[in-house]
């Protein structure tokens, strides 16, 4: 039986008079992949920012395993188990692929203040980093500088950083954005693999309906910053609110 | 072995390696290769400025932090030694107390400035450092009872480090075996160790975090690094090393004054040395400091000679007159920044890659 990991209670943020996220109360369970959908500007990324701490909330709370993290910094939340991959690729461009991942492993190991040993001498950090590099199929590019990677490989690395962090809550923000048709499956397979970890919860902001159909255990729909629907994929997709707010637009496109 | 000493940072360019080895040999044997008070003085200055510039690079090139208070930290170390020597008498204990006291004070001050201003935008930190540095400079020149004011302080250092002390009668290669020689090697050894120490720090796990923060502080925070803590730590370490460089300077000169160790002019020199050598490379500090100090000391004389050589020709003697040396130094800077935007070391390493 899956247990709740992450809980937001009346989570709200206002920018001036505009309510970007409006009293969202939602619980995310272990072993569950929740797709968050909604039209552009519905507040999906802002909701993510509130959970991972990039922006402070105006109201409401976020709790991880019943521990209130609403007032904690981004770095503190990361150490407690909130991991976030970004919509726009957000890496360390002039460091190598391996170094990008090694930095994550080093952060987890809490060894950032080690000043007097050589970074390359920590095999117990380099080895797991290399394993992640291999897992995301970037082994050939391990020593390459990130800025020289193709867009698709940068997206893979973005996901790889999160895999290296191995948080309790994985947050993906359009992980396949801008990837070609033959590159996207690699990333999606990686996310599908994560679903086997029964003690983790995965949150996925995604526009592509086929991706949601194959991966999601549950869908929540945001509309104008508020929670508009919540349930298993079949029910939510069939519901009026989705047909109107989201699918309607999608069907027109097809 | 060599790789361990250099913390794995090989020069990665044949020209750079040759330059570094040449500089190391020249500095290591300066009193024998270039005997003479002035040339040994220049060599000692180069040693000290390499450390000072490298410590600034630790903050600017690795941490991405712009500070204008680096001469203040340098001055704290220098005044630390000066005051300790004045009040504790001439002894090695005074040198030690002064250096460590100065370094500790510099680190504490850096900690306070950092804590208050590194949370906010980088420009704010730069402004705060400028304000604090100016305040300290004024304070030092005003509190003349303690600091000697504008005149500075003259003091005695242990006899073993002065020309009056002779430890062998015969000369080796025409060089007198006196305390000044010992003093030079004290400076050289400490500078070398401090430089290697910093080289190690930038290649440690901590150094990698600094690089990550410089590259993308937003992401560094989101993979779990408290950016402020790392920036403050880097600032403190940089300040402490700068203070130690200042202490060496005070030991060498046997004099401190606001002009030599606290003025804005020194700060600008440091900035130029970092930029010319190459930011974020450490070896850039070696190249930048060497070139700059040499130019400062010898360009004037060189130009005087050149001016005499072209006497009789129109305009040229005027342009090359020794009084115009600052003009030519300026021209050299502009050219070097224009042609080597990544500094000399950056340029040399690029050449290797392509």
């Amino acid at each position: 039986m899956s247990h709740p990991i992450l809980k937001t209670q009346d989570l709200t943020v206002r920018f001036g008079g505009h309510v970007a996220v409006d009293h969202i109360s939602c619980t995310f369970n272990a072993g569950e992949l929740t797709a968050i959908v909604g039209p552009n500007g519905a507040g999906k990324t802002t909701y993510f920012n509130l959970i991972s701490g990039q922006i402070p909330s105006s109201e409401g709370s976020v709790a991880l395993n019943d521990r209130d993290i609403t007032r904690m910094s981004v770095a503190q939340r990361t150490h407690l188990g909130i991991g976030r991959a970004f919509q726009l690729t957000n890496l360390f461009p002039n460091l190598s692929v391996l170094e990008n991942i090694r930095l994550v492993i080093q952060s987890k190991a809490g060894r950032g203040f080690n000043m007097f040993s050589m970074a390359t001498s920590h095999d117990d950090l380099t080895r797991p980093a290399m394993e992640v590099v291999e897992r995301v199929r970037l082994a050939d590019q391990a020593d390459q500088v990130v800025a020289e990677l193709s867009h698709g490989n940068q997206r893979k690395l973005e996901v790889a950083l999160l895999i290296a962090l191995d948080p309790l809550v994985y947050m993906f923000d359009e992980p396949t954005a801008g990837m070609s048709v033959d590159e996207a499956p690699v990333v999606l397979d990686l996310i599908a693999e994560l679903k086997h970890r029964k003690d983790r919860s995965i949150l996925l902001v995604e526009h592509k309906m086929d991706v949601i159909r194959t991966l999601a255990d549950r869908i929540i729909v945001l509309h104008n910053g508020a929670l508009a629907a919540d349930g298993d994929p079949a029910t939510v997709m069939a519901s009026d609110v989705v047909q109107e707010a989201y699918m309607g637009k999608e069907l027109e496109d097809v | 072995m060599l790789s361990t000493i250099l913390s794995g940072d090989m020069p990665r360019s044949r020209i750079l390696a040759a330059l570094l080895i040449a500089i190391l040999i020249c500095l290591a044997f300066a009193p024998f290769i270039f005997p003479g008070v002035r040339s040994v003085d220049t060599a000692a200055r180069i040693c000290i400025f390499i450390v000072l510039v490298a410590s600034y690079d630790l903050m600017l090139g690795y941490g991405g932090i712009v500070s204008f208070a680096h001469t203040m930290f340098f001055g704290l170390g220098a005044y630390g030694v000066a005051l300790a020597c004045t009040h504790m008498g001439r002894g090695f204990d005074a040198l030690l107390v002064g250096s460590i006291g100065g370094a500790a004070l510099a680190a504490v001050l850096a900690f306070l400035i950092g804590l208050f201003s590194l949370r906010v935008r980088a420009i704010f930190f730069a402004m705060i450092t400028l304000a604090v540095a100016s305040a300290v400079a004024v304070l030092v020149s005003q509190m003349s009872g303690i600091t000697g004011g504008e005149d500075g302080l003259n003091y005695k250092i242990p006899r073993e480090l002065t020309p009056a002390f002779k430890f062998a009668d015969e000369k080796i290669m025409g060089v007198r075996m006196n305390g000044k020689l010992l003093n030079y090697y004290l400076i050289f050894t400490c500078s070398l160790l401090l430089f290697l120490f910093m080289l190690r720090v930038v290649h440690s796990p901590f150094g990698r975090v600094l690089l990550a923060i410089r590259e993308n502080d937003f992401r560094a925070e989101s993979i779990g690094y408290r950016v402020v803590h790392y920036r403050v730590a880097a600032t403190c370490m940089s300040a402490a090393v700068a203070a130690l460089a200042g202490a060496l300077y005070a030991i060498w000169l046997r004099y401190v004054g606001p002009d030599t160790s606290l003025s804005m002019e020194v700060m600008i020199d440091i900035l130029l040395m970092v930029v010319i050598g190459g930011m974020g490379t450490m070896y850039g500090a070696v190249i930048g400091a060497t070139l700059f100090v040499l130019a400062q000391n010898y360009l004037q004389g060189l130009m005087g000679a050149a001016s005499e050589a072209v006497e009789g020709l129109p305009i040229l003697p005027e342009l090359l007159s020794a009084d115009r040396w600052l003009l030519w130094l300026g021209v050299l800077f502009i050219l070097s920044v224009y042609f080597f935007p990544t500094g000399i070391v950056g340029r040399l390493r690029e050449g290797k890659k392509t």
Side-chain angles (χ1 to χ4, degrees), chain A residues 29-40:
Chain A
N29 299 314
E32 195 177 68
L33 189 147
T34 310
I36 301 172
V37 301
N40 286 329

Side-chain angles (χ1 to χ4, degrees), chain A residues 6-12 23-27 47 57 59-63 70:
Chain A
L6 181 74
K7 205 170 178 178
T8 68
Q9 187 69 44
D10 290 325
L11 199 60
T12 304
H23 294 90
I24 298 185
S25 297
C26 201
T27 304
Y47 185 46
S57 56
E59 217 179 284
S61 65
V62 187
T70 317

Side-chain angles (χ1 to χ4, degrees), chain A residues 164-224:
Chain A
L165 191 61
D166 193 25
L168 295 173
V169 179
Y170 281 79
M171 303 170 73
F172 294 102
D173 199 345
E174 297 197 43
T176 60
M179 283 182 100
S180 67
V181 186
D182 42 314
E183 283 172 325
V186 180
V187 165
L188 296 175
D189 287 349
L190 288 168
I191 296 174
E193 268 173 50
L194 292 174
K195 285 183 64 178
H196 298 302
R197 304 283 304 275
K198 290 295 173 204
D199 49 350
R200 301 293 195 260
S201 184
I202 305 170
L203 274 58
L204 173 68
V205 167
E206 186 55 82
H207 279 297
K208 295 171 188 155
M209 274 302 151
D210 53 328
V211 171
I212 295 171
R213 264 186 215 106
T214 44
L215 286 178
D217 302 310
R218 171 185 173 199
I219 297 181
I220 64 172
V221 183
L222 300 192
H223 190 56
N224 289 334

